[in-house]
Amino acid sequence: MSRQSHILSILQLFDTGMSVWTVEEIAKALGVSVRTAYRTVRELTQGGFLDPVSGAGYVLGPAFIRFDRVLRQSDPLIRIATPAMERVLEETSQEAVVILCRRFKDCVMSVHMVEGREPHLPASYERGAAMPLFLGAPAKVILAFLPDRVLRGLYLRNDAELRLSGIDSWANFKEQLKPVRKAGYAMTQAEIGEGRLGIAAPITREGLVVASLSLVLSVRNGRPDAERIAHFAGSVRRAASAVSAALDVSEPGAAPR
């Protein structure tokens, strides 16, 4: 195992449900000597990526907070999308949240959020939390616009999970996504959180879907009427299209491919 992969493997351990790891536990989990684990842990601690706690354990360190701030300030997608997200709230309802999501492995992750000024239910998509790729409007609209070869790989890797939800074949999986692709947006209600309705449109770069922009409304008193939904969906689609157009003319490498 190279030094770089060893460092990465240690950091990935903190994404397995345990927030505190000792050097001995790290060495056992990675199959390396305690001496090797300690040397890498010391290096990560010096860089602020790990922090010692009582009981000889280590937690993720403050360097991640610093780099999260740098990411928020420098990510072209967030910078370009923020004004469009604010505009959606102005055009629709301030009793809502607009979220920006990216696909992360076989999940979808919220990377930015703009909240309305009026009281509303909190969004289920907390920034940085890995959410299901097969539930919710932000995920389904990304799925619907993925190339077939990528979509088929996702289906094969998650075949058992999809069968439990009633999708029994690749053809059935594709068929359920066709209406989303045709409409240009996805809409779901209470799939991720009770009392919430989500409307999401794809953000593309050079024709490839890279993210989704979603309006999440509180629907305590039932779903809005068809005319309002059409208005909401139009606003979300226009915003996503504007972000996509801006990404296409932004600097090379500005958004994930």
Side-chain angles (χ1 to χ4, degrees):
M1 183 183 295
S2 67
R3 173 178 167 277
Q4 289 83 0
S5 61
H6 191 196
I7 289 173
L8 182 60
S9 296
I10 289 178
L11 296 178
Q12 287 175 335
L13 290 176
F14 290 87
D15 196 28
T16 61
M18 283 179 55
S19 59
V20 181
W21 287 79
T22 65
V23 173
E24 290 75 14
E25 289 170 338
I26 290 171
K28 183 177 179 181
L30 300 185
V32 299
S33 69
V34 171
R35 181 180 178 182
T36 298
Y38 177 76
R39 186 166 59 245
T40 309
V41 166
R42 182 178 59 186
E43 185 177 346
L44 287 167
T45 302
Q46 290 171 345
F49 294 98
L50 292 180
D51 219 14
V53 294
S54 60
Y58 290 84
V59 297
L60 294 178
F64 287 100
I65 300 173
R66 177 192 173 200
F67 281 106
D68 180 67
R69 180 176 179 273
V70 171
L71 177 62
R72 288 172 188 253
Q73 293 179 330
S74 62
D75 186 340
L77 178 59
I78 293 176
R79 187 179 69 247
I80 290 170
T82 298
M85 296 165 75
E86 293 170 346
R87 190 162 58 249
V88 169
L89 290 173
E90 294 294 339
E91 293 176 355
T92 58
S93 171
Q94 293 292 339
E95 297 180 10
V97 180
V98 180
I99 58 176
L100 182 66
C101 292
R102 284 176 172 165
R103 178 182 157 213
F104 176 66
K105 299 181 180 179
D106 284 1
C107 301
V108 66
M109 181 182 292
S110 170
V111 297
H112 188 51
M113 179 185 305
V114 177
E115 300 199 51
R117 295 186 295 270
E118 300 298 327
H120 55 270
L121 291 173
S124 301
Y125 285 77
E126 180 185 355
R127 175 178 163 84
M131 303 295 286
L133 189 56
F134 305 108
L135 292 175
K140 288 183 174 179
V141 81
I142 290 176
L143 286 175
F145 285 85
L146 286 173
D148 271 5
R149 59 179 180 78
V150 178
L151 194 61
R152 186 171 180 85
L154 285 169
Y155 170 79
L156 293 173
R157 288 196 300 276
N158 297 276
D159 178 43
E161 178 185 345
L162 288 167
R163 286 183 182 277
L164 289 175
S165 65
I167 298 174
D168 57 5
S169 67
W170 161 241
N172 182 217
F173 183 47
K174 280 192 67 178
E175 193 65 27
Q176 291 201 18
L177 294 172
K178 276 185 179 179
V180 175
R181 192 176 184 97
K182 183 177 181 180
Y185 70 93
M187 184 177 72
T188 60
Q189 185 168 350
E191 281 197 1
I192 298 295
E194 288 295 326
R196 298 168 180 84
L197 182 142
I199 300 173
I203 293 174
T204 63
R205 176 165 182 170
E206 298 177 2
L208 298 176
V209 62
V210 295
S212 65
L213 189 149
S214 312
L215 174 67
V216 182
L217 297 149
S218 301
V219 285
R220 301 180 184 89
N221 302 317
R223 178 181 293 192
D225 59 44
E227 185 176 346
R228 289 192 72 201
I229 286 176
H231 171 64
F232 293 157
S235 178
V236 172
R237 289 188 64 190
R238 287 192 299 273
S241 295
V243 175
S244 300
L247 287 176
D248 280 341
V249 297
S250 63
E251 66 272 20
R257 293 181 179 273

